[in-house]
Amino acid sequence: MPLILDRSYFLASSVEGLTPKIAEDSIYAFLEDERGLTVATSKRTITVERATDHDRDMLDLGGADYVAVMTSQTFDGQGIMFEYTESRHHPEMFCFHDTAVRSAV
């Protein structure tokens, strides 16, 4: 049963040379190891939204008419946003855990 529908958008200059084969393995390993990008921070927002037709087509929502939606903005060491992701989650399987650590980046 599909549980999450992800859409990620990357700053083109950050992912130059990315191929479908690399993406199947790890985009972040490529960014850090091959492109030398430093991942510094991410800002996330969680909401609950009515399911769209696309959600119903892609996720097995059963009788649910809503999804948990997490949007994420990820920034490099220079403060440049290089990724925006929207993850749409099956409501019965969504759980959010957070740990905040205060340290210098």
Side-chain angles (χ1 to χ4, degrees):
M1 161 176 51
L3 301 175
I4 304 171
L5 175 60
D6 277 338
R7 290 188 185 134
S8 294
Y9 303 89
F10 290 90
L11 182 64
S13 60
S14 296
V15 293
E16 188 174 323
L18 180 67
T19 65
K21 177 79 171 127
I22 293 169
E24 288 175 8
D25 186 30
S26 173
I27 294 174
Y28 272 63
F30 169 76
L31 292 173
E32 294 172 320
D33 300 340
E34 302 297 322
R35 300 284 301 159
L37 187 131
T38 300
V39 180
T41 190
S42 180
K43 296 179 182 180
R44 293 186 176 137
T45 302
I46 301 169
T47 58
V48 174
E49 299 179 11
R50 290 255 182 230
T52 65
D53 289 339
H54 187 65
D55 294 330
R56 285 186 283 278
D57 288 343
M58 300 301 291
L59 302 172
D60 182 11
L61 295 176
D65 192 34
Y66 57 93
V67 292
V69 180
M70 182 171 4
T71 56
S72 178
Q73 301 167 325
T74 307
F75 299 84
D76 68 13
Q78 297 176 335
I80 298 170
M81 186 173 80
F82 68 89
E83 179 187 16
Y84 174 85
T85 297
E86 180 181 278
S87 300
R88 302 180 73 81
H89 296 254
H90 189 289
E92 293 176 8
M93 302 304 290
F94 179 78
C95 182
F96 178 70
H97 297 275
D98 188 27
T99 301
V101 177
R102 187 174 179 183
S103 64
V105 176

